[in-house]
Amino acid sequence: MFRTLMLKELREMWWLPVLAWIVMSGCVLYQMGLGYCLTCGGLYWKQNLNSTPPYLHPVPFFNQDLMLQLALVGTGLAIVLASWQTWGESLCRTWNFLLHRPVRRNTIIRSKLAIGLTLLLAGTGLPLLFYALWAARPGNHANPFQWWMVLPMLRIWFATTVIYLGVFLCGVREARWVGSRFWPLVPAGMILFVQYMSASRNGRMGWVFDCTANGLVIGSALMLLAAIPYAARNRDFS
Amino acid sequence: MPCAISSYAITARGLTKYYQGRPVVHSLDLHIPTGCVYGFLGRNGAGKSTAIKMLTGMVRADFGAATLLDDDAADLSPETRQRVAYIAEGHPLYMSMTIHRLERFMRDFYPTWNADQFARIIDHFALSRRRLIRKLSLGERAGVSLALAIAPDPELLILDDPTLGLDTAVRREFIESMIQFIQRPGRTVMFSSHQLGDVERVADRIGIIVNGVLRVDCPTDHFKTSICKLILLFESTPRPFPKMLGVMSEVVKGLRVELVIADYSDAHQNAAQSLDPASIEVVEMNLEDAFVEYTRGPRETLPIFSGNSSQAMVTG
Amino acid sequence: MQFHVSTSSREPIYRQLAGQIREAVARGQLSAGDKLPTVRELSEELVVNPNTIARTYRELERDGVLHTRQGKGVFIAKPDNELTKTARNKKLHELLDRLLTDAVYLGFSEEEVLAQMVERLGQFQFAQQE
């Protein structure tokens, strides 16, 4: 039954990460030098890719532009996914239909979270993986590359889950007025910002700051994961 | 006796819900016996939907408790949910699915899924399974949601105004399917409705909720036969009718006085005679008129019906 | 035998049906031994709660109009007059008085009422003179 519920979520959501994947792939390809090749009329862009001067190639993953793009695309995807999964059910008035299925309410919420998180991480993660594999292969670019260099990007990538969970919590939470319904978004946004600052400065903020940022992301993700089923249990689906 | 089975499919005790400080449902007590078809009536905003949502665990009660099939309504176990079908108001279904896809989705949850039964109802409403829910009319969607509700062979069916907005033909088809469903003994139905004709056809018992308070809970015939209209004709200007329990409205038209009275008794008769009218006529009312008179009467004087015993049914 | 129910009527459905069956027996459309539809059949045909139909049958059985044979169905019973001749006479007089009172208020003459009565007598089946 968990599988049935996940399939239902997947069927409704699959196109969203595909959209994000396309956007993110565009960003990655640009960083890989596609932009340069296009501007120089690169019909032989594969060839050019290998022979472009190093300064036209940013060092893979040590790249403020791509980090910002990742944060933005990830945030957008997180917001749309989580809203769709929660307010979507409210708008179509299908909560009552869904929650009456003979499974625990927690199971229903967990199936939504499982698919939502998977799609969010896959949507922005697959282009990054492709980028990393490309960067790790010798001869593709004239820069040093080691796997630890992926880490800062990975930290931002993972931090978008806080936004997803925050929006999801807003969607299942009950609140007296619209404003207070959205308050979980404030800390979630701040945490992503701190993590972005920490990751994009790559160690220059000091290890204490970096560890705090990481701790905040993981801690708040866990807290939100616990809060969401609780909120869903204590809410009126009228 | 229609409702004389010892166990209860639905019970509620002091169920109360406040919205913005106002009690939407106030201290609701319900005992719906197994095998009973219960019509739940009330004007818009009287609290029917909220009461039903508390019974199905969608809305949390502020006070009180309820059970469905002897299981706590606020936290129904999956095993109980399997035996209870619930259709929320407006027949909400996933718009992006086809009928076929929706059946596949639902089938996985119910080991007792009866595919023939599902097919029968879908055919009854003449629907193709390839059709998208989004493209269906409200009546067709009602058919699909009824088929989905009945196919798992539930013991208890809870319907929140299922015929709202349906045209007469579809409404009749819906009611026919409901009649089919209750043929097997031991199946309980609770449904809210504004269609008094339908209620009279299918309900053994009715409950009427007025401003969040359950005022009537008795056999349908009992309610119908115990509300009547008293027509008094006078030769001179009539004196006002004495204030007494059961008098729901008094309309004076010249020399003619019309009273709507609940639980008409000798006391009313004597009071009428003491005014010395030229004639007294007692007219029974049909369910719709009785309901209208009852729900628009002055609220604080509304008599409360609770004909719980089976004797109460044997009137007239 | 075609039954019908009306929800706009003041009469409860079970009484409407009982009345129709009684009338059909009185008019000779149904006679002793005739089988009636089952509760389920009638319930589905009239779109009425089966409990209501069962109640109609139960009350008519109590009054001796119907009798149920286990596993066979519901049948019209043989008329069985438990009341004494005097009691029945008294009842008939009451009914006639009520009818005649209404007829007077409706403004019919004696001859008109009698003529109407004779005309309609032919439509009913009466018991044979003992």
Side-chain angles (χ1 to χ4, degrees):
Chain A
M1 279 178 263
F2 193 68
R3 207 180 117 255
T4 311
L5 286 166
M6 289 206 302
L7 274 177
K8 175 230 155 215
E9 293 298 319
L10 196 61
R11 201 170 288 120
E12 286 173 359
M13 302 294 148
W14 65 269
W15 58 278
L16 272 169
V18 169
L19 220 62
W21 186 83
I22 291 169
V23 175
M24 206 56 223
S25 298
C27 298
V28 165
L29 284 175
Y30 188 86
Q31 296 303 325
M32 282 161 60
L34 181 62
Y36 168 82
C37 295
L38 287 180
T39 44
C40 322
L43 264 174
Y44 307 100
W45 73 280
K46 172 89 173 57
Q47 221 173 341
N48 287 336
L49 220 56
N50 295 331
S51 55
T52 43
Y55 56 87
L56 286 173
H57 264 306
V59 181
F61 289 95
F62 271 52
N63 181 332
Q64 299 261 349
D65 286 353
L66 193 58
M67 284 186 191
L68 185 63
Q69 285 155 0
L70 171 66
L72 290 178
V73 173
T75 303
L77 179 61
I79 291 174
V80 180
L81 265 175
S83 310
W84 200 284
Q85 288 184 299
T86 54
W87 284 300
E89 302 271 3
S90 301
L91 278 179
C92 302
R93 310 173 124 266
T94 39
W95 272 123
N96 288 341
F97 177 80
L98 183 63
L99 295 180
H100 187 65
R101 292 318 112 215
V103 279
R104 296 252 166 230
R105 195 172 285 188
N106 276 356
T107 313
I108 293 173
I109 299 294
R110 278 214 311 271
S111 72
K112 277 183 176 288
L113 290 175
I115 288 300
L117 285 172
T118 309
L119 291 184
L120 171 68
L121 294 179
T124 48
L126 287 178
L128 290 185
L129 183 68
F130 168 66
Y131 189 28
L133 289 175
W134 173 81
R137 203 168 145 241
N140 273 344
H141 60 97
N143 283 306
F145 178 80
Q146 281 181 317
W147 278 100
W148 63 263
M149 291 159 68
V150 179
L151 205 62
M153 206 75 113
L154 228 79
R155 289 170 61 195
I156 297 174
W157 171 71
F158 185 76
T160 54
T161 58
V162 178
I163 299 288
Y164 168 81
L165 293 170
V167 176
F168 198 101
L169 179 63
C170 295
V172 292
R173 232 176 121 247
E174 194 170 12
R176 295 269 175 273
W177 61 286
V178 184
S180 65
R181 175 183 274 255
F182 288 103
W183 79 256
L185 288 186
V186 178
M190 272 161 58
I191 286 165
L192 177 67
F193 181 72
V194 168
Q195 181 72 327
Y196 174 75
M197 293 298 285
S198 160
S200 62
R201 299 290 182 282
N202 191 33
R204 267 169 289 162
M205 309 288 278
W207 65 271
V208 178
F209 188 86
D210 289 357
C211 286
T212 313
N214 280 334
L216 272 176
V217 168
I218 292 170
S220 58
L222 289 176
M223 258 165 58
L224 285 166
L225 274 175
I228 287 168
Y230 177 80
R233 237 189 347 266
N234 290 290
R235 131 145 201 219
D236 288 345
F237 290 91
S238 52
Chain B
M1 291 292 108
C3 288
I5 298 175
S6 55
S7 67
Y8 292 105
I10 300 178
T11 70
R13 216 176 277 280
L15 217 53
T16 302
K17 183 73 191 179
Y18 283 86
Y19 277 132
Q20 279 141 13
R22 197 177 68 89
V24 184
V25 174
H26 186 76
S27 198
L28 176 73
D29 285 314
L30 262 186
H31 294 274
I32 301 180
T34 305
C36 182
V37 180
Y38 193 87
F40 197 43
L41 309 176
R43 296 174 58 175
N44 288 335
K48 295 188 303 279
S49 268
T50 307
I52 288 180
K53 283 183 180 136
M54 281 194 278
L55 292 176
T56 52
M58 297 296 155
V59 166
R60 294 171 66 80
D62 291 328
F63 301 103
T67 64
L68 292 192
L69 304 176
D70 298 323
D71 193 8
D72 180 14
D75 187 24
L76 283 180
S77 67
E79 293 72 32
T80 308
R81 283 213 192 269
Q82 234 160 35
R83 296 155 62 205
V84 177
Y86 163 52
I87 299 184
E89 195 174 341
H91 304 283
L93 295 173
Y94 287 109
M95 293 296 183
S96 58
M97 293 191 190
T98 60
I99 295 178
H100 175 71
R101 169 75 56 210
L102 201 53
E103 189 200 357
R104 291 259 308 267
F105 172 70
M106 288 284 279
R107 207 170 50 193
D108 285 351
F109 292 102
Y110 301 94
T112 53
W113 188 266
N114 184 338
D116 294 341
Q117 179 77 304
F118 182 82
R120 212 161 24 242
I121 300 175
I122 290 296
D123 293 346
H124 189 75
F125 282 84
L127 293 167
S128 152
R129 283 157 194 243
R130 277 194 297 262
R131 292 182 62 189
L132 269 171
I133 300 296
R134 194 189 307 128
K135 300 266 171 75
L136 301 180
S137 69
L138 178 63
E140 290 168 326
R141 213 163 75 217
V144 175
S145 87
L146 184 72
L148 293 172
I150 288 180
D153 200 23
E155 290 160 50
L156 172 60
L157 187 57
I158 298 180
L159 311 169
D160 193 353
D161 217 338
T163 56
L164 182 73
L166 305 190
D167 68 45
T168 319
V170 179
R171 224 176 65 216
R172 179 51 68 93
E173 277 167 13
F174 196 94
I175 296 295
E176 278 170 4
S177 297
M178 251 172 91
I179 294 279
Q180 290 269 349
F181 174 76
I182 56 181
Q183 293 298 341
R184 212 186 72 189
R187 278 170 160 169
T188 313
V189 180
M190 177 189 195
F191 73 109
S192 67
S193 179
H194 288 102
Q195 295 296 334
L196 278 295
D198 296 346
V199 171
E200 191 173 3
R201 279 175 185 279
V202 298
D204 296 310
R205 263 183 104 82
I206 55 168
I208 300 181
I209 188 166
V210 181
N211 283 359
V213 178
L214 189 72
R215 292 284 185 173
V216 174
D217 181 15
C218 67
T220 315
D221 294 337
H222 177 65
F223 178 74
K224 180 169 162 174
T225 49
S226 59
I227 290 207
C228 61
K229 199 177 241 178
L230 198 61
I231 301 170
L232 308 176
L233 290 177
F234 291 91
E235 272 151 1
S236 59
T237 317
R239 282 181 285 143
F241 198 84
K243 283 221 180 312
M244 58 192 299
L245 194 69
V247 179
M248 301 196 309
S249 72
E250 182 176 2
V251 180
V252 183
K253 294 174 187 157
L255 296 178
R256 181 186 165 96
V257 177
E258 288 184 10
L259 299 149
V260 176
I261 294 178
D263 264 340
Y264 182 68
S265 65
D266 289 345
H268 298 113
Q269 172 118 28
N270 294 338
Q273 260 154 7
S274 72
L275 298 178
D276 204 19
S279 79
I280 301 178
E281 197 187 345
V282 182
V283 184
E284 284 188 344
M285 302 174 85
N286 69 36
L287 189 62
E288 181 148 9
D289 294 339
F291 172 78
V292 169
E293 294 293 354
Y294 188 85
T295 51
R296 78 167 169 214
R299 262 136 210 170
E300 58 284 5
T301 65
L302 273 188
I304 294 178
F305 285 77
S306 50
N308 244 330
S309 67
S310 48
Q311 287 102 316
M313 301 175 54
V314 192
T315 49
Chain C
M1 180 70 211
Q2 191 62 51
F3 299 101
H4 58 92
V5 295
S6 158
T7 52
S8 57
S9 160
R10 291 159 185 167
E11 230 182 339
I13 292 173
Y14 80 96
R15 264 199 258 155
Q16 293 177 26
L17 287 174
Q20 285 166 32
I21 294 174
R22 279 173 189 279
E23 193 177 327
V25 173
R27 283 175 184 271
Q29 289 162 338
L30 287 173
S31 45
D34 282 357
K35 190 174 185 297
L36 285 174
T38 63
V39 168
R40 184 182 179 141
E41 282 163 4
L42 201 53
S43 147
E44 281 173 8
E45 186 192 323
L46 299 175
V47 196
V48 163
N49 188 321
N51 289 332
T52 308
I53 311 287
R55 182 169 181 199
T56 305
Y57 282 3
R58 213 164 41 236
E59 306 226 333
L60 287 176
E61 190 166 6
R62 202 186 55 199
D63 295 349
V65 180
L66 304 178
H67 70 100
T68 309
R69 275 190 240 147
Q70 276 309 320
K72 295 232 172 98
V74 181
F75 298 86
I76 304 288
K78 284 202 183 66
D80 171 29
N81 289 314
E82 289 167 355
L83 299 175
T84 63
K85 188 82 177 172
T86 3
R88 281 188 280 147
N89 262 330
K90 189 166 166 260
K91 190 131 191 166
L92 182 62
H93 288 158
E94 274 171 20
L95 290 170
L96 279 175
D97 287 352
R98 208 185 310 162
L99 183 138
L100 292 173
T101 313
D102 282 354
V104 169
Y105 273 99
L106 290 169
F108 286 102
S109 74
E110 203 181 319
E111 290 76 22
E112 279 172 320
V113 173
L114 197 62
Q116 291 261 359
M117 197 88 125
V118 170
E119 190 197 316
R120 300 196 78 82
L121 279 178
Q123 296 178 10
F124 290 85
Q125 289 233 316
F126 290 94
Q128 301 299 312
Q129 196 86 40
E130 286 148 24

